[in-house]
Amino acid sequence: TPHEDNVTMIEYDETIETFGVKIPFCPDIITPKIERPMRNNRYEGGEVKSMRDILQPGDRVLEIGSGVGLVATVASKCPEVESVTTVEANPGLIPLIEETFRINEASNVTLKNAVVSNTNAKSVDFYLRADFWASSMEPESRAYVEKAKVSNINIKKLVSDVNPTIISCDIEGAE
């Protein structure tokens, strides 16, 4: 899986299979609020169904907000999809996403660790929370455990570079 940064391996003893995709079960990342729906094929169910329903041969997918890599993996497994580019702001999720891609043999996926915005800032503050899905660019809504400096990608440049036929956006704090 192409990635700009050094690969960090994660340790796990179990995978959770959801919608036919294996996700490494790391309890420090996949908390009970996510684990239960994941084990019951409900986690991101609408996104997975929509992606499977709309993809066509030759599509180029741009996903903003990778989460654990589920939707990007589903997209990469659709026959004849040309490419999948996925962007995740939370640096703590990158090793998990890379491992999800590896164990599911998602070979046509490019992962970027960045925030996507309408600015040309080189980097922005991103507020990490205990539940990864609550992390965002917004510091005030709830307590955060860490503030990270994350690369910024201008949305217009990203769309121009990827030239997507499908855009999926599931992010917190910058929609």
Side-chain angles (χ1 to χ4, degrees):
T1 302
H3 185 299
E4 304 98 70
D5 300 328
N6 293 330
V7 174
T8 303
M9 295 304 295
I10 60 167
E11 293 184 22
Y12 59 98
D13 297 321
E14 176 188 1
T15 60
I16 299 172
E17 188 164 326
T18 187
F19 300 105
V21 174
K22 295 178 209 145
I23 307 291
F25 178 52
C26 302
D28 55 328
I29 296 173
I30 300 174
T31 58
K33 284 183 182 178
I34 299 296
E35 179 188 0
R36 279 187 298 277
M38 199 176 275
R39 289 187 187 279
N40 293 316
N41 284 320
R42 290 191 327 266
Y43 175 72
E44 295 192 349
E47 293 90 334
V48 168
K49 182 181 182 327
S50 293
M51 193 61 69
R52 286 182 170 152
D53 287 348
I54 64 173
L55 283 174
Q56 301 290 316
D59 273 338
R60 292 173 305 283
V61 177
L62 171 58
E63 178 188 38
I64 304 171
S66 308
V68 298
L70 174 62
V71 176
T73 300
V74 166
S76 78
K77 295 306 207 175
C78 288
E80 300 181 49
V81 165
E82 184 177 314
S83 65
V84 178
T85 300
T86 186
V87 185
E88 174 55 50
N90 187 332
L93 293 178
I94 300 303
L96 177 69
I97 298 165
E98 289 174 330
E99 183 64 3
T100 298
F101 294 161
R102 187 190 73 75
I103 64 177
N104 290 283
E105 300 178 351
S107 60
N108 60 343
V109 181
T110 300
L111 172 62
K112 297 177 181 289
N113 179 202
V115 164
V116 177
S117 76
N118 63 350
T119 74
N120 291 317
K122 193 169 183 102
S123 64
V124 296
D125 291 335
F126 190 75
Y127 299 88
L128 305 172
R129 296 185 168 86
D131 290 315
F132 75 83
W133 48 265
S135 299
S136 75
M137 293 172 54
E138 199 282 306
E140 306 294 325
S141 63
R142 61 184 85 176
Y144 59 89
V145 294
E146 185 181 344
K147 178 171 80 170
K149 273 284 189 216
V150 179
S151 296
N152 178 68
I153 300 174
N154 179 279
I155 185 72
K156 289 181 182 176
K157 179 170 182 359
L158 181 62
V159 169
S160 174
D161 290 350
V162 174
N163 192 25
T165 55
I166 304 288
I167 298 176
S168 172
C169 183
D170 186 3
I171 57 174
E172 313 307 324
E175 289 96 343

